[in-house]
Each structure stands twice: as C-alpha cells, then as structure tokens.
C-alpha cells in the first residue's frame, strides 16, 4: 500500500520535501537485512527524517489521522526497527543528533536519539567521566542503548546496566502528545527518572524498550560516572589494526581460564563481595578469537591450534584503581580468589592482547571483526537474574547444544556464551551467541530449531533465561508463563495507542 | 479493618471491595504514621501486620524476601546473623515496615549501593486494584514462584514495562504488595566512622559529591546540628550539649573493610577520605568531643533502627516534615531556604546523597511540642516554604498531602498519563482514593 497523496503531502509539509522519501530503491534499502529471521518484512511506504520533537509529534498525529503505522529508527540493528507490514512509515531519527548538555557537577548528559557512542564517549571521557556504553560498537545510538535495546556492556560488573542510568526523558506518545517524565515536567531538570508518585518511568522501558510501541523518545538524560582508568589513552596503528593502550600503573588486565562454570560463578561472587576490580566477565571464546585475528584463515589456524582450549571459559578482569596501593590490594584479593577457585592465568601472548585493546572496556571499536567468518550469527537468551542463576543457565547449554554442533548445524563452540555480572555480583546477564554457515540449507533450518530448543529447555527447567520484548507474538505465547504480562501490556498499549499505529506487531 | 494472612486473602479483599465499591488503604508499619499515606478516612484499612514472614535470606546472592509486615526491628538482627545488612534510611523506627520504606523510596544511607532510585527494592508480588496477582522483574516467571529456579532478583520487566515502578512512590494506589525482594550487602568486617564538621552545608555537599564520585564512603549523610542532636542524644541534656558544641553541619562518613584484608581496605580508603577533605579545607576526625563515646554510639545507631521508647523525631512531642530531591548543584540554594524557615520548634535538616551521589534527598523536620496552635503554625510555615522551594528547583517526587497539588499541577500532560495507568490497574479507583493525583 502506498501512502495516499493527501497523507504524503501532509507529512512532507512537516519535514520538507528534502527529508521524506517514497522512492522504491530508497525504501527497499531500508528493509530488514537478516534473511534468516523467519518473519515477513516489507519495505516501508515512506521514510521521514524529522529534525525536532515537534516534527516527530506532528508526524505521529498525521499517522493517527490516516491509520498509518510508524516505527522509530536510528541504528537499525534490531529487526523491530523495520516495517513488518504494509502501510508503515519509518521515522528515522538520525538528524536529531545533538548532545544537548554534559553536566559535570551533577553527572548527567542530555542527548538526542541520533547521538552515537563515538560522538558522546570521547566528550565525557575527556571530562573524567564515563557511561555504560553498550557493547555495540562506536556507531550505535546511545539513546537507543539506554531506552530500547538490552544495553548490556563489558564494564557493568562495577557499574550496572544502561537502564539503571536512564533519567528523565522527553517522548512523543503514540497519539502525538509531547510527554516529559520524572523531574523534568516539574521544571526541576533532568536528574530524576521517577515520580511524582509512581511517575511514568515505568512505560519508558522495562527489561527492553517498547521499540516505539509506547512512544518515541526524542531526548533522554543519562547518568554519568567517574571514569575507571585514565581519562587519556594512547592509540597506535590504523583501524582495524589499531591498538588502544592505557599508560597507567593503576590499570591492569588479567585473564584466567576455567574448566567449570560453577567455579567461574564462585570467583565472580567472591570478587563482588570484596568490591574489587572494575570489570569481571566470562567472555565468549569464539568472538574473542575473531577479535584476536586478522583474517578468516588466521582465525582457523589459531582456533584449531589451541586458542579454543586455552580460552574455553575465560574470566576477564580489569583493575582500575585510584592508587598503586589500591591496585596491589585488589590484585592480592584477585589472585587469592583465582587460586581458591581453580583458575589458570592465560599465557602472556593471549593476555597481552587485552592490554593493547583497552577500547574493549570503553567503546568496542573492532566489533565488526566478529562477523569475519561471513556466516550467520544470532544472540540467544539475553536474560538476567542472580549470578548463580545465569551460571546454572550457562551450564545447562552443554546438555543440548551437542545435538546441533555435532550435526554441523551450528558452529562447534558449546561454551560460546558470555556472563557479565552487574553491581558487584548482585545480578548477571547471559548471552549465548551461535553462528552457522549461511550457505548450508541444513544449517539455515537448524537456526530456528536451535532457537526453539534453547527456549524449550529453559522453560522446562523454569529458568529465567530470557525476558520478553514488546507486544509481539512471542509475548502473546509466553505471557501466560510470565504473570500474564501480555494482558497488561495489551491494556497499556490500547490505552496509549488507541489506533494501534505505534509499531504494531500483532 | 482487614488482617490478611496471605496473598489469596488480599486478592479476595480487593475483589470484594470492587464488588461493593468500598475504598481500601494499605498499612504495613506500626505507628506513628507521620505522612498520612496509610490513613484514609473514607477507606477500610488492610493491615498487613499478620503477613510478617521472612520468606528467604540468601547469603550467596545477597538478597532477602519478606512480607510487608516485617519490620526493621525484626529483620536487622536476622540479617546480621547471616553476615548481611540492609541499605536503609537513617534511624527508621523499629516498627517501620521494611517493604513500605523501600516502596516509598525513602532515602538510604549508603549511596554507593544505590544504582537507581528504586534500590534496594528488587522485585515484588502485588495484587492490582483489579484483584489480579502480578510479579515484577525476574519474579514474573516462567511459572509460579514455587516453580521458578530463578532467584527472582532482577528488577526490570517483564517485557518492555518496568512494572516495579508502578508500586514505588504510589502510596498503595496501584496495588497492594504482598512480598518484596530486597538487595542486601555484606556486613563489613571492620569499619571506622568519621565526622566532618563545617559552618556551611555547601562545604559538605561539595565534599559528598567528590567522595561519592570515587565511591569512598559506605554510609554518608549530612545533618544540621539540630538533626544530629535529635537523632543521637538520649535526653534533653545531651541534646543541649550537642547543640552547644557541634558546628552547624556535620557529615557522617563510614569507611569499611570486608572479609579479605579488611585493615588494608580501611587504611586505603581512610587515606582517600583524608586527602579529599584536606583538598576541601576540611578535616575528617574519628571522634567529636561533645559527648564521651559518641562515635561508637553514632556508629551503632546508623547501622540499626531506633529501638528507643520514643521515636527520635517525636521526642519534643510533634514533628512535621517535607522532603525533596535535587541534583548536587542545587542543594545549597534549597538548604538556605530551609535554614531561614521561621516557625515554632527546632528546624532539623538532613541531606542524604542518593544514587551514587548524583542526587541529594533533603529532609526538613520541624520538631515541636505537638500543641495544636503550634501544629497549625508549623504546617503553614512548611506550606509556604514548599512553594519557594519548588520555585527554586526542589523536586517533590513523593508528595504527601497538600504537596501533591504543587507536584502535579505543573504538567497536566504527564499527570493525565499517570491517571491513564491508574485506570488500568485500579479501574474502580478503590485503592487509597484522594492521594497523589488520583
């Protein structure tokens, strides 16, 4: 369905002809790009590039008037950011890319959706501050990470997940009203997400964001922390063969390998109780080997030449202390814990890679190299609970993944999951990343089978291994097992989006 | 009055109230009830004192799950036995419900453990005004609490809505909580309390901002000397002694060491504290000479609840309070307005850094005789200053009584959106009607 002439004219009047397109080649270029995902995706009917909150609100009002579905778009990483039915427009927010404020004293920044990590992170870092930059690479939208996507990142052990730092926001409701949450509407600034009373932060994001179903967030404030590690760092070489180095005695990276996830769990909890180390995580060994190599051939040589075994369950630890004495104190505890839990320090050749790639602990600038093998990849689970619980989830993967790895349906890397604790071990997140050969029809079929099996095994064990997203068929299916949240979500959506135009998925 | 003993009974009470159109108000704490959120003359009271089970204390994953009738007086010793502690308010009364305190977003003493304003609250089970049971975050499922293998500690979700936040600051208007999971922290193996005195609050708010950026202290709170004396004196004579000896403002700052190498941690962090204080032209000292043994007494009190016969805020007979949030930069201006408050009694001010020090909760308590004429004068003075505070940037995030009007009138769009949510979870408006903007 193409837009009616009247609708197109009204939309064009809002943004100007330059910032709207319904040309087929433009629209086709903005379809979902992952063919293995078993949904039907459409080209949008138009793409609009608003320049302000007021323009977004006006667009949404026109969409309501003509019954046009709309989807906010900025990084385009998730399939939910693309048209899933006819009669949909994409509201691309990339022009709204201003850093509106960095408040050093009160430690927050106010940003628009188009601000990328590469834009914001250096600005706050040079002020001695930092934020929880999700592990999506420098091109990701900061606002999307805080309000919509999972937002998990490598340094959340000593801090927390991005949504914990989301403060007041300005958003356009599904009916086109401009809404401000938390302390903002009281004229008290951006610092507080909650209240008055229960407030509206509840509908801004839960575990994930609503992907536009409950509104489009056009400005957000995020909390900043003092940066862990030096504010200045040294870079060498040219991307992708560059190195990022902390020239500081206060910063050290150690990597230990384990043979048992329960021992990893013990180590994480012991370090958390002692409140030492800045980063602690069990990383995936497959992307790690890809990060450490320069080509697919190099990867295969090293993967089969011992990297797989040497780093089967790596516990990555970054110490960022405030004094030499504190660093030594933290090291002493770290080595005690590792000794008690049976960790083995990685050979120098492997461990040194980390000290030369400290961007891993800031904004991961080489993430694209994990796609080097050219196959398909997909994250699974993505849930969180206590460190113990997610380690139990991780341990269970070994009980069923072999049926898929041994038949060649997915890459043979059974321990390829990461666990990142948060808040010094109060919670942890798990992500199982699996890869497959896109040229193999059996493997393509196996993708769906493995996804289904992973979920089925978690449900059978009553594991909280995944959370639900927005109001979509999965939520309708699983909602009855999750406190009937599908019913409540439906009621909330109906109340705020009576015309069902805000990224409908049912 | 209703005295439910379990969730099923709470469901039945709410379902019946819907049928007969009878308003309900929840009460979990033992008196006195200072803010009036749990009092509603047109509603029947649902008293949760019989739902007082401590469901689980988990040392490994550091949490506790309790019913709303569990009080600080009961829980603190049990957690201590398990090697843990709560991040709790300054000297709550022993009969205060732990769950109610967290739901009300009361200020906590250890800002470095508070990542979000809802901390230390993690998950809840609640019955909405519709009579339906719901569990938040990773307590939602899959399956029932009896079936799930999760620790039910993750606060967010399920899905794209942060359901926990419907219940915080809501004064029981969205649903009644039947149990809650709260984050607990490891009990220090070693600790040392420091006092930093200053003539102006601003010196100490700036100091707190720097200290918390570096996550140096555990407990960190700034008190005017009136509040300090009210909280820690045992009688009028001690109170007078403190008032005449202390500087106008005192910061309490506790440094802790844990199981592994506690002396070393303590020594390192003491060094940081002294260094930061010296840079600010202040001095952190382990004792103040006002009263013998004061440091030990203060440290004991800030790690416990108020177990004295008369609650510390009521020693003079009456108290009226307002509290607000602000970012660090705005605190000095608001404190000055409160320092100039003129009314009967003594004006005490407590400034508590929150959420890793990115916000301060300022509480103003007027301690007076409780005489009806004075009550009227104090309430009038607080009402007047509230408007000035609001204009100066105070954020009344959990408004009680007349403050609700100020808090909600400034933005009709967001107020209407909150009412929309209320209509979903309490369609008949039976839960604590008349409170907030409902």
């Amino acid at each position: 369905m193409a837009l009616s002439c009247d609708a197109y004219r009204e939309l064009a009047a809002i943004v100007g002809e330059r910032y709207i397109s319904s040309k087929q080649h433009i629209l086709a270029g903005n379809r979902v790009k992952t063919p293995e995902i078993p949904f039907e995706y459409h080209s949008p009917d138009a793409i609009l590039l608003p320049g302000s909150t007021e323009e977004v609100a006006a667009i949404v009002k026109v969409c309501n008037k003509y019954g046009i579905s709309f989807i906010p778009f900025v990084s385009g990483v998730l399939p939910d950011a693309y048209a899933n039915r006819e009669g949909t427009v994409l509201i691309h927010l990339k022009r709204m890319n201003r850093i509106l404020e960095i408040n050093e004293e009160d430690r927050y920044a106010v940003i628009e959706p188009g601000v990328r990590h590469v834009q914001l992170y250096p600005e706050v870092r040079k002020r001695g501050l930092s934020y929880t930059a999700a592990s999506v690479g420098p091109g990701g939208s900061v606002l999307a990470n805080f309000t919509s996507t999972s937002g998990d990142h490598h340094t959340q052990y000593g801090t927390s997940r991005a949504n914990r730092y989301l403060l007041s926001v300005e958003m356009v409701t599904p009916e086109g009203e401009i809404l401000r949450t938390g302390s903002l509407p009281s004229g008290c600034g951006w610092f507080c997400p909650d209240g008055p009373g229960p407030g509206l932060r509840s509908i801004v994001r839960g575990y994930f964001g609503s992907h536009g179903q409950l509104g489009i967030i056009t400005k957000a404030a995020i909390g900043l922390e003092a940066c862990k590690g030096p504010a200045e760092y040294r870079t060498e070489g040219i991307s992708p063969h560059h190195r990022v180095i902390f020239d500081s005695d206060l910063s050290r990276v150690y990597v230990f390998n384990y043979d048992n996830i329960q021992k990893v769990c013990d180590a994480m909890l012991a370090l958390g109780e002692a409140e030492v180390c800045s980063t602690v995580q069990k990383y995936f060994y497959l992307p790690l080997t890809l990060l450490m190599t320069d080509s697919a051939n190099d990867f295969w040589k090293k993967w089969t030449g011992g990297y797989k075994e040497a780093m089967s369950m790596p516990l990555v630890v970054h110490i960022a202390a405030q004094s030499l004495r504190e660093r030594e104190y933290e090291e002493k505890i770290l080595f005690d814990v590792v000794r008690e839990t049976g960790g083995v320090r990685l050979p120098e050749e492997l461990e040194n890679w980390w000290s030369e790639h400290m961007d891993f602990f800031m904004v991961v600038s080489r993430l694209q190299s994990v796609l080097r093998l050219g196959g398909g990849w997909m994250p699974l689970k993505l849930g969180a609970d206590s460190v113990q619980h997610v380690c139990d989830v991780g341990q269970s993967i070994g009980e069923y993944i072999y049926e898929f790895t041994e038949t060649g349906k997915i890459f043979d890397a059974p321990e390829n999951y990461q666990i990142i604790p948060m808040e010094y071990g109060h919670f942890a997140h798990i992500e199982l990343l699996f890869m497959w050969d896109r040229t193999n029809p059996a493997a393509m079929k196996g993708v769906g089978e493995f996804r289904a099996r992973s979920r089925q095994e978690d449900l059978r064990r009553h594991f909280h291994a995944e959370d639900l997203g927005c109001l979509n068929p999965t939520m309708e299916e699983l909602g009855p097992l999750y406190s009937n949240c599908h019913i409540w979500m439906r009621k909330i959506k109906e109340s705020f989006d009576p015309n069902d135009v805000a990224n409908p998925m049912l | 009055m209703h005295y439910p003993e379990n969730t099923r009974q709470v469901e039945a009470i709410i379902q019946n109230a819907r049928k007969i159109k009878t308003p309900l108000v929840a009460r979990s704490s033992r008196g006195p009830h200072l803010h009036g959120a749990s009092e509603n003359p047109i509603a029947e009271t649902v008293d949760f004192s019989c739902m007082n089970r401590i469901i689980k204390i988990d040392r490994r994953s550091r949490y506790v799950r309790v019913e709303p009738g569990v009080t600080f007086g009961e829980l603190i010793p049990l957690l201590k036995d398990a090697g843990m502690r709560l991040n709790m308010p300054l000297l709550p009364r022993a009969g205060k419900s732990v769950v109610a305190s967290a739901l009300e977003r009361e200020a906590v003493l250890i800002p470095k453990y508070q990542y979000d304003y809802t901390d230390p609250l993690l998950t809840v089970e609640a019955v909405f005004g519709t009579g339906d049971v719901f569990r938040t975050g990773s307590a939602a499922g899959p399956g029932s609490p009896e079936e799930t293998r999760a620790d039910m500690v993750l606060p967010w979700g399920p899905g794209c809505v942060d359901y926990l936040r419907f219940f915080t600051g809501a004064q029981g208007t969205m649903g009644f909580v039947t149990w809650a999971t709260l984050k607990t922290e490891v009990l220090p193996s070693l600790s040392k309390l420091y006092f930093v005195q200053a003539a102006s609050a601003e010196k100490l708010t700036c100091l707190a901002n720097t200290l918390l950026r570096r996550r140096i202290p555990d407990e960190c709170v700034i008190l005017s000397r009136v509040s300090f004396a009210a909280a820690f004196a045992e009688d009028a004579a001690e109170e007078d002694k403190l008032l005449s000896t202390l500087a106008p403002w005192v910061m309490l700052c506790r440094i802790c060491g844990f199981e592994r190498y506690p002396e070393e941690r303590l020594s390192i962090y003491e060094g940081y504290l002294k260094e930061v204080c010296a840079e600010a032209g202040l001095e952190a000292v382990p004792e103040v000479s006002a009263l013998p043994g004061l440091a030990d007494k203060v440290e004991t009190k800030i790690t416990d609840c108020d177990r004295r016969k008369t609650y510390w805020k009521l020693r003079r007979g009456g108290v009226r309070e307002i509290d607000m949030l602000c970012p660090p930069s705005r605190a000095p201006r608001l404190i000055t307005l409160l320092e100039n408050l003129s009314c009967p009694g003594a004006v005490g001010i407590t400034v508590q850094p929150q959420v890793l020090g990115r916000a301060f909760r300022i509480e103003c308590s007027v301690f007076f005789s409780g005489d009806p004429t004075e009550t009227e004068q104090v309430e009038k003075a607080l009402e007047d200053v509230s408007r000035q505070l609001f204009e100066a940037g105070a954020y009344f995030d959990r408004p009680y009584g007349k403050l609700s009007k100020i808090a909600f009138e400034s933005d009709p769009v967001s107020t209407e959106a909150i009412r929309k949510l209320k209509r979903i979870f309490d369609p008949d408006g039976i839960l604590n009607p008349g409170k907030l903007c409902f």
Side-chain angles (χ1 to χ4, degrees), chain A residues 13-275:
Chain A
I14 295 165
V15 292
E17 284 293 346
R18 186 174 172 195
Y19 295 117
I20 182 169
S21 178
S22 60
K23 291 178 180 140
Q24 287 308 307
H25 63 283
I26 300 282
L27 302 179
N30 284 280
R31 291 169 63 139
V32 71
K33 295 171 179 67
T34 40
E36 59 275 14
I37 294 176
F39 305 124
E40 193 180 345
Y41 286 97
H42 297 261
S43 291
D45 284 13
I47 300 177
L48 295 114
L49 288 86
S52 67
T53 304
E54 289 68 27
E55 287 186 8
V56 174
I59 292 166
V60 167
K61 282 182 178 159
V62 171
C63 288
N64 273 273
K65 179 178 168 186
Y66 290 97
I68 302 163
S69 300
F70 62 84
I71 298 176
F73 185 104
V74 60
S75 298
V77 174
L78 299 176
D80 286 356
Y82 296 88
N84 59 39
R85 63 194 60 208
E86 292 182 343
T88 300
V89 297
L90 291 191
I91 302 177
H92 202 313
L93 301 163
K94 70 179 176 184
R95 283 179 64 216
M96 297 172 67
N97 62 354
R98 290 176 302 160
I99 298 170
L100 299 168
E101 183 183 358
I102 297 176
N103 190 318
E104 293 179 55
E105 186 176 0
D106 296 333
R107 276 181 283 153
Y108 67 80
V110 184
I111 49 170
E112 291 186 323
V115 172
R116 313 285 168 172
H117 290 295
V118 69
Q119 209 179 327
L120 183 64
Y121 197 87
E123 288 299 323
V124 301
R125 187 95 190 179
K126 69 189 179 196
R127 291 167 168 83
L129 296 167
S130 178
Y131 65 90
T132 58
S135 316
V136 293
S141 155
V142 182
L143 185 142
N145 287 150
F146 278 77
T147 62
S148 295
T149 61
S150 87
D152 290 286
H153 67 107
H154 298 145
T155 59
Q156 65 192 19
Y157 160 83
T159 56
S160 191
R161 197 168 181 250
N163 53 298
R164 293 286 249 185
Y165 296 88
L166 180 59
L167 309 177
S168 284
V169 306
E170 176 185 86
M171 62 196 279
V172 174
T173 69
E175 290 188 280
E177 276 190 304
I178 298 173
L179 192 65
R180 296 175 180 93
T181 65
S183 51
L184 190 59
S186 295
C188 306
W190 293 87
F191 76 103
C192 180
D194 287 296
L200 294 166
R201 167 64 181 81
S202 49
I203 58 165
V204 177
R205 90 166 271 168
Y207 189 73
F208 297 110
S210 75
H211 298 172
Q213 290 191 327
L214 297 178
I216 299 175
I217 297 162
T218 51
K219 293 185 182 87
I222 62 168
L224 305 173
E225 289 227 48
C227 73
K228 295 194 170 149
E232 291 184 2
Y233 44 89
R234 178 161 54 95
T235 58
E236 289 176 357
I238 297 170
S239 178
H241 304 295
H242 64 288
R243 302 194 304 164
V244 179
I245 298 156
F246 285 0
D247 291 316
S248 169
D249 281 341
L250 306 183
S251 171
R252 288 287 182 276
V253 183
Y254 296 102
V255 189
F256 307 92
N257 201 45
Y258 281 80
D259 60 5
N260 181 322
I261 192 64
Q262 294 301 337
K263 292 181 186 169
V264 175
C265 180
D266 291 344
M268 287 173 168
L269 289 173
L271 293 171
E273 282 195 6
E275 297 178 23

Side-chain angles (χ1 to χ4, degrees), chain A residues 104 106 194-195 197 202 207 266 273 275 322-323 325-326 332 336 385-386 388 423-424 464 467 481, chain B residues 59-60 62 112-113 138 141 143 149 151 159 162 165 183 213-214 261 264 267 272 329 395 397:
Chain A
E104 293 179 55
D106 296 333
D194 287 296
S202 49
Y207 189 73
D266 291 344
E273 282 195 6
E275 297 178 23
Q322 301 180 57
S323 65
R325 193 172 167 214
E326 186 183 4
K332 197 156 60 172
D336 281 358
D385 191 56
S386 65
Q388 180 61 64
E423 303 180 15
Y424 291 97
H464 189 87
D467 209 303
L481 296 172
Chain B
R59 173 66 181 76
R60 185 169 170 79
R62 286 179 270 158
K112 73 168 188 179
Y113 292 139
S138 61
R149 299 261 303 275
D151 276 304
D162 199 337
R165 285 183 141 95
K183 203 193 242 191
R213 243 166 233 258
R214 296 176 58 182
Y261 309 108
E264 207 166 329
S267 164
Y272 294 155
S329 63
Y395 179 44
D397 70 307

Side-chain angles (χ1 to χ4, degrees), chain B residues 191-197 228 246 250-255 266 270 273-274 277 282-300:
Chain B
S191 66
K192 198 161 181 182
L193 183 69
Y194 279 92
F195 300 84
V196 188
Q197 299 195 60
F228 187 100
L246 294 172
V250 184
M251 177 196 274
L252 301 179
C253 193
R254 190 171 178 237
I255 306 295
L266 203 64
E270 274 176 320
L273 172 64
K274 288 178 180 171
C277 284
L282 295 163
E283 191 184 8
V285 293
E287 188 63 82
V288 282
S289 58
L291 289 172
L294 184 66
D296 289 345
K297 192 195 284 186
V298 171
E299 186 166 4
T300 305

Side-chain angles (χ1 to χ4, degrees), chain B residues 314-328:
Chain B
L314 290 171
R315 197 176 305 124
R316 293 185 186 215
V319 67
R320 288 293 181 275
E321 295 186 308
I322 47 170
D323 76 76
M324 66 218 78
L325 279 172
C326 67

Side-chain angles (χ1 to χ4, degrees), chain A residues 214 471 475-476 479 482-495, chain B residues 18 126-135 158 161 163 166 174 421 423-427:
Chain A
L214 297 178
L471 188 62
M475 180 180 271
E476 287 286 313
Y482 286 77
S483 278
N484 283 323
C485 64
H486 61 304
I487 294 173
W488 297 105
M489 178 59 196
R490 219 185 297 139
K491 286 184 183 193
I492 295 168
K493 187 160 193 316
E494 283 165 7
S495 176
Chain B
R18 283 193 77 184
V127 183
F128 285 132
T130 56
D132 297 290
V133 180
F134 190 85
R135 289 178 300 281
V161 172
Y163 291 90
F166 290 132
M174 293 287 190
L421 292 168
R423 288 194 287 271
I424 295 169
F425 298 109
D426 180 22

